[in-house]
Amino acid sequence: MYIFPIKSCAPIAVNEMNCSNLGAEYGVHLRDRVFAIVRSLPPHECVTAMQYSKMVLITPRIEDCILTIDAPGMNEIQVDISKLYQSTNTLISIIQKDEVLVVDCGDEAAKWLSNYLVNKDEAFRLVFYPSNEPKPFIKPKGYLYRTAERMDTGSLHDETSYMLMNMGSFDDLNKWLEKSVGPLQFRPNIVVSGADAWSEDKWKFIKIGQEVIFKTIQPCTRCTITTIDPSTGERNKKEEPLRTLRKFRLFSNISHKCPVFGIHVGLRRAGTIRIGDNVYVSV
């Protein structure tokens, strides 16, 4: 199980997580994708590892209310999350073409990110999603969200607030690759084991443990971020594993360019899940 505090940056692995409508949580301040990096100039569009692959090497750590950020060749900096909830330093940012109200995290973080990513003092800002409610419903994008509800949009997520993958599918994919890949290359919140490869395509509801229930909203279409090695930040020169996935994971009713791997799910009953919990599915 993984929580990604900063969108497109490194995750924090956890042994248990609380599942709320906003997304995966652990404790008070560790929440999934509540921080993002945006361009300094309006319309403050969000940037991801698609544009700057070294973002995957930005490592967050949260202790009490302090977010610590580190990266290769950089001195770590800290952000007090508790102060962000009361901040009036807000701006509108563009997340996947949608306008979202966020809080600016200050000049120190902005300078740090700008220097790390493009060796400039002013290019990007770190922003924070302060609300306890999911962001406004995302504008329709083709096949997306036909079964989504208002509660499914999460914080600064592209699609739904949770993404789930099946380890059996990884095992099958790796049979066809020169260099095997793991879950972190695909940035899931939850990875389940014990199921047949690609059986998740047919799952309608997923229950984990005794409390938490998810509903499948849509398959997860894949972009070039999957070609970035999360341990080095380098792109695969052969565009793997995306090239291999295109050979057998293109769905005609979804996209002629983006292969499918994993499922976006929406929370239908909140609670806590733990490593080792039983997983039940309906098809």
Side-chain angles (χ1 to χ4, degrees), residues 119-133:
N119 200 28
K120 296 181 180 179
D121 284 345
E122 187 174 348
F124 304 104
R125 311 292 297 184
L126 182 67
V127 298
F128 173 72
Y129 186 77
S131 175
N132 287 318
E133 297 297 327

Side-chain angles (χ1 to χ4, degrees), residues 27 31-33 80 101 168 198 233 260:
R31 293 182 169 188
D32 191 62
R33 294 171 171 91
D80 189 336
L101 181 67
W198 315 114
V260 166

